[in-house]
Structures are given as structure tokens and as C-alpha cells.
Amino acid sequence: MTEKILRKVAPYISSLSLLVIIFFAIQVFRGHQSKEIYIAWTNVFTVVWFVFSPFWLIPRNRKENV
Amino acid sequence: MAASKTLTQRLDALFEFDRQPVTENKLQGPGKFIGLFAGEHVAATEFVIGPMFVIHGVAAADLFWGLLLGNLMAVLSWAFLVAPIAVRTRLTLYWYLKKICGPGVTFIYNIANAFLYCILAGAMISVSSTAVGLAFNTPTPALTDVLPNSVSWVVITLIVGGVVTLFAIWGFDKVSKFSSVCSPWLFAIFIAGALALLPSLGQVNSLGDFWHVAKTKIWTGIPEAGQEKYTFWHIMFFAWFANLAMHVGLSDMATLRYAKNWKYGFFSAFGMYPGHFLAWVCSGIMVAAVAREMNPGMMAFTAAGFAGAVAVVIAGWTTSNPTMYRAGLALQVVTPNWARWRVTLVAGVVTSIVACFPVVFMRLLDFVALYGLILMPIGAVVFAEHWIIPRLGLQQYRAEKMKLFINWPSLIAWIGSLVIVFLLPIHMFFKWLPGYFIAQILYITLTFVVSGKESDKTS
């Protein structure tokens, strides 16, 4: 049951984590954010990406690749 | 004869899984190909190629136009060269090559491929080592270094190579799955890193500002000391041949034979423009922001902190893993009684030693050119056999029908075209294009001669 829910929400959470990384980079680019804060959030959301993305990017039973 | 038969059987056994043409029910939709192309072309090499363009003093306009046009040519090569043959035959290059050139040439092709794979995987391990070395203050080799510059560099590279080899032996499949998770994140790190470092090069409030910074601070048109200057043509040709073995060399028949129609070749644009345009531009911005120092690990660490350094390690690892596996697979033909782990171990040891020599990643652009050039004539031969030979009224698939171990016209066309292009006084990046036509002309002429002699004998 938990896995089913995780598989459903994982694409949204992991995609959001990449958007957040790019958002903080844009903030640095616009001069609205320090680079240190951006780096800290990049590290945090990298972890979020690697926790959630396998739930939807790695198929459970992939018999044959293209 | 007996020896050649055993060799053929060993080679066939390795590729047994792909022997039959793909059946209708196994064909894949567009989504699969978009994902596959997009994931395959954001890799560790992108951390080196973009910066190399900056170091070679390409001008901003030359870079953008060169990448735009070169990648378009690459996409067209996938769409018009590989995809039509792949969907008509539904075979991998290995099996189609065997029909055309005979098992002997296929064997030589496999060994050449294995050797080139080892060097490519070595370059990727070197790239990863630049990031691991950050933790130990290891000096990264200089741009012109050929030999290792310190003991610590050698130790770190051998350790990284050892870990990559162990994973290739124990968990190739798991690493392959893991690499599919990495690609979107890697792409995000490229974009974020470039955005975060751009302000350090100058104020950018508009597209005009960006263009000014691009021209004056990044792609200035002035090469680093001792480096050759690249022009629009170098960039265009590089973008075109970066995957030469896959498109013009036809090795992507393995993938595109699952396509529902040949137009799926155009989906390669989903790999080319994000990976070989945006990622190269982003890594170019990053290297300019770190004073043009060719150190992928340090560059990514400055751009995205710990996540950046990890990106370089992971990118190098996930790129070298399948490369090393493929090298092991190709080498298994020569060592029939060895288990797969043993062959991969030998390939890994060779690769790790190669990785210690910084020249393999500092001269990556030249190696990529050489890699494509060496395998390209085979693509030319297969193209000629598939489309031109039947139209000339010559017998198609002579090697298969006559059970030839080596189809000599194909081997002579392969080696002959390479000898000719190496003698041509043109830059390495441009040699493949005349070479492609030379290989076709040689193959068709020799086939014509051989077929004439055979019909004389018969009559």
C-alpha cells in the first residue's frame, strides 16, 4: 500500500526537487540569493531526487531493454 | 577452417539473444525512444567537451551556429542513414555485418570496438578522479600532460577504476538502472551550475548582456597558450561526428530496429540538443568562471558544491560502466573459456591503467574523432551493400550466400579508406567525411571486380 502511494507521488516530488534546484540557481543568477544557500539546497534536493526518482524511473520487472 | 568455425560459433553465442529480427509485437512507441536518446547524451564527456571548446578559443557565434548545424546533421544522419536500414532489416549491426562482411570482419570489428571502448572508459574514470581528488588535494594534471603528474593521481585513479570494475562485474544491470535515474538530475546540475556561475563573469540582465559576456568572457575566440584554435567548421563537424559510430557507423541499428518507422530517427534531437548543445554550453560557462582551468571535478564543485562533485563522479562511473561491460563482451570472443567476470576484470585493469594517463581525457576531442573515424568505414560498407549493390545488379549478401569467412572487398575498403584519409593533409575532425565516400567507392569497385571474376569462373 505504502509502495503504491510512493510510486504515485514519487514523480511529482522528484520532478519538483529538480525544479527547486534550478529555481535557487535562477535566484543566484538574479542576485536575489547567496551562492552558499543555493549550494546547500542543491545538496538537500539532490538527496530528495535520489530517494524518490527510483520509484518511477526504474521499472520493477524490465525483461528487455530497447 | 575448423578454427574459424569455432570462432564464428563463439561470436554468435555472445549475440545469440539478438539473432532474430525484432517481431511486430516488440516494437516500441515514440516515448521510449525520446527517453532513451535524452538519457544517453547527458554524460561525463559533457563535463570535458564544453570546456575544451572554450580552451580552444572558439568564438561565441561560431559555437552557437556550429552546434546548431552540427547537431542537425547528426539528427539527419540518424534519421536517414541508420533508421531506414534498422527498420527494414530489424537486425543489430552485428548480425547484418555478418551477412555482408563475413564472421572474420565482424570479429575484427568487435576487437577494434573493445579496444576503443577501453580508452573511452579510461577517459571517464580520469574525469571521475578529478572530483575524487578534490577530497585529497590531489593536483589535477595540466592540459598538456601526457604522463601522470603525481603518485596520488595514479593511486586515486586506480582506486576509482577498481571500484568501477567491481561494479561492472557484480552489478552491471543495477548500475545501468541507476544511470537512468541520474540523467535528468545531471542535466539539472549542468543548467543550475551555469546559471549560478554566470554572474561571476559579468552583469547579465538581458539576452544582449548574455551575448556580450559570451563574446568577451567565455567564447572569446582566443585559444589558451599551446592550444589549437577552433572555428565554426571544427565545432560543426565535432557536433556531427561526436556519435559517428552510432549514426554513420550504424551501431544504433541495435536500438532503432525496435522503431515502428524510420522517422523515429528524428527523436535523436531529444538527445542532441539538450546534451550536445545545452550541456556543452553550460559546461563552457562553468569553465570560464573557474579561470579556464581544465579540472571537471573542481569546476562542478565550484558550480554546485558537493552535489556538483558527486555529479562528476557519478557521470564518469555510469558512463564507464556500460562501456567497460561492452569491452568485456567483445573481448570474450578471444577468451572463450573465461567467465564473463574474468574478461571484465581484465578489461577493467587495462582501462584503469589507461585512465592514469591524463592524455586520454585532455585529448578527448581527438580521441572521439579517432573513435568515430576507425569504425565509420563499416557503416559506409553496410550502406553501400544495402542500397547501392542491388541497384547495380550485383549480388547482395555475397558473404552469407557463399559462406565466406572474410568478404575481402569490405576489409580492404575498411583498411584502405583509413590509410587514405590518414594521408590526407586535413584536420582530424574533417577526415571522416571524404573517408566515408572513399570506403563506399572502394567497396563497390572491389565487389564489382570480385563478382566479375566469380561469374567468369562459373561460366
Side-chain angles (χ1 to χ4, degrees):
Chain A
M1 185 65 182
T2 320
E3 199 191 324
K4 211 174 171 185
I5 295 167
L6 268 174
R7 279 189 182 276
K8 222 166 190 178
V9 297
Y12 301 105
I13 297 175
S14 50
S15 305
L16 198 68
S17 67
L18 296 189
L19 289 176
V20 172
I21 289 173
I22 291 173
F23 169 76
F24 277 103
I26 292 171
Q27 290 295 88
V28 176
F29 172 72
R30 294 173 67 195
H32 294 173
Q33 187 83 72
S34 75
K35 207 176 141 214
E36 287 70 30
I37 300 281
Y38 144 75
I39 283 177
W41 284 115
T42 299
N43 290 338
V44 169
F45 282 96
T46 288
V47 175
V48 173
W49 167 261
F50 279 105
V51 168
F52 287 95
S53 61
F55 284 103
W56 62 288
L57 280 177
I58 299 179
R60 269 172 295 185
N61 271 324
R62 190 168 53 180
K63 277 187 180 163
E64 192 184 335
N65 280 322
V66 171
Chain B
M1 187 65 195
S4 68
K5 198 174 175 195
T6 328
L7 180 75
T8 311
Q9 285 165 346
R10 289 198 315 247
L11 206 58
D12 289 354
L14 278 179
F15 297 91
E16 190 60 46
F17 178 73
D18 300 316
R19 186 189 275 263
Q20 297 302 324
V22 173
T23 48
E24 194 78 23
N25 61 329
K26 291 222 173 119
L27 300 185
Q28 305 282 341
K32 194 90 181 172
F33 285 88
I34 291 171
L36 198 75
F37 279 116
E40 225 177 39
H41 298 282
V42 181
T45 40
E46 277 51 90
F47 282 109
V48 179
I49 295 169
M52 280 294 184
F53 290 159
V54 174
I55 282 159
H56 280 280
V58 63
D62 289 347
L63 178 96
F64 282 90
W65 283 113
L67 290 183
L68 211 59
L69 205 62
N71 283 315
L72 175 68
M73 295 307 288
V75 171
L76 296 178
S77 301
W78 257 295
F80 292 116
L81 295 180
V82 201
I85 298 180
V87 298
R88 277 167 67 109
T89 62
R90 302 281 178 206
L91 289 170
T92 60
L93 178 64
Y94 171 80
W95 288 106
Y96 203 42
L97 198 58
K98 203 181 153 198
K99 275 162 88 87
I100 295 168
C101 302
V105 176
T106 315
F107 171 77
I108 299 168
Y109 178 83
N110 251 30
I111 297 301
N113 225 343
F115 178 69
L116 294 166
Y117 277 144
C118 282
I119 300 177
L120 192 62
M124 295 308 100
I125 288 168
S126 302
V127 172
S128 287
S129 302
T130 63
V132 177
L134 286 175
F136 305 97
N137 279 330
T138 302
T140 303
L143 257 178
T144 47
D145 281 351
V146 175
L147 301 172
N149 64 340
S150 66
V151 176
S152 55
W153 166 261
V154 174
V155 172
I156 285 174
T157 309
L158 289 178
I159 291 171
V160 173
V163 172
V164 170
T165 307
L166 286 181
F167 273 101
I169 292 169
W170 285 329
F172 165 76
D173 193 43
K174 286 186 181 72
V175 180
S176 297
K177 284 178 180 170
F178 178 66
S179 68
S180 67
V181 169
C182 296
S183 297
W185 169 75
L186 269 177
F187 188 60
I189 293 291
F190 272 109
I191 305 271
L195 280 171
L197 288 185
L198 200 51
S200 68
L201 294 166
Q203 189 91 27
V204 179
N205 294 320
S206 65
L207 208 59
D209 289 346
F210 170 74
W211 194 243
H212 177 72
V213 169
K215 282 197 298 186
T216 56
K217 300 279 174 60
I218 307 168
W219 301 284
T220 57
I222 302 160
E224 292 295 293
Q227 298 299 312
E228 179 190 6
K229 166 137 177 71
Y230 283 178
T231 62
F232 161 81
W233 293 106
H234 291 88
I235 303 300
M236 192 210 122
F237 266 77
F238 188 88
W240 190 2
F241 72 61
N243 291 112
L244 197 70
M246 286 179 173
H247 48 69
V248 172
L250 301 179
S251 73
D252 251 3
M253 278 175 70
T255 310
L256 282 161
R257 70 199 174 114
Y258 289 92
K260 284 182 179 158
N261 70 60
W262 68 270
K263 287 173 193 148
Y264 282 25
F266 287 111
F267 291 136
S268 55
F270 287 94
M272 289 300 97
Y273 287 98
H276 293 185
F277 190 106
L278 261 177
W280 289 353
V281 166
C282 289
S283 58
I285 294 170
M286 287 190 242
V287 81
V290 294
R292 294 161 185 259
E293 193 183 329
M294 190 59 211
N295 181 343
M298 187 269 290
M299 181 183 87
F301 183 74
T302 311
F306 183 68
V310 170
V312 174
V313 176
I314 286 180
W317 174 39
T318 52
T319 319
S320 56
N321 180 65
T323 313
M324 202 180 280
Y325 176 80
R326 284 187 203 124
L329 195 71
L331 287 173
Q332 211 175 12
V333 181
V334 202
T335 53
N337 300 322
W338 287 24
R340 174 71 54 79
W341 70 267
R342 211 162 153 194
V343 190
T344 312
L345 180 67
V346 171
V349 169
V350 173
T351 302
S352 304
I353 293 168
V354 167
C356 294
F357 294 87
V359 69
V360 292
F361 94 95
M362 292 300 184
R363 301 290 300 271
L364 184 69
L365 304 194
D366 288 335
F367 172 70
V368 170
L370 190 69
Y371 175 78
L373 186 68
I374 290 174
L375 302 179
M376 165 279 299
I378 286 296
V381 165
V382 173
F383 183 91
E385 179 84 14
H386 187 89
W387 298 110
I388 306 171
I389 293 286
R391 279 172 177 75
L392 294 174
L394 296 168
Q395 191 186 33
Q396 207 178 15
Y397 312 133
R398 266 182 68 250
E400 186 188 43
K401 284 170 188 162
M402 300 174 74
K403 296 191 170 30
L404 300 174
F405 182 64
I406 288 178
N407 178 9
W408 285 104
S410 67
L411 188 60
I412 295 169
W414 184 8
I415 296 167
S417 61
L418 288 180
V419 170
I420 295 169
V421 293
F422 276 111
L423 294 174
L424 285 178
I426 51 173
H427 192 276
M428 173 75 102
F429 286 13
F430 311 133
K431 284 181 189 284
W432 76 267
L433 192 56
Y436 185 74
F437 295 106
I438 292 168
Q440 284 191 346
I441 292 166
L442 273 176
Y443 180 66
I444 293 165
T445 312
L446 291 169
T447 305
F448 201 76
V449 172
V450 172
S451 302
K453 279 186 184 166
E454 280 161 9
S455 62
D456 284 350
K457 268 187 197 170
T458 318
S459 62

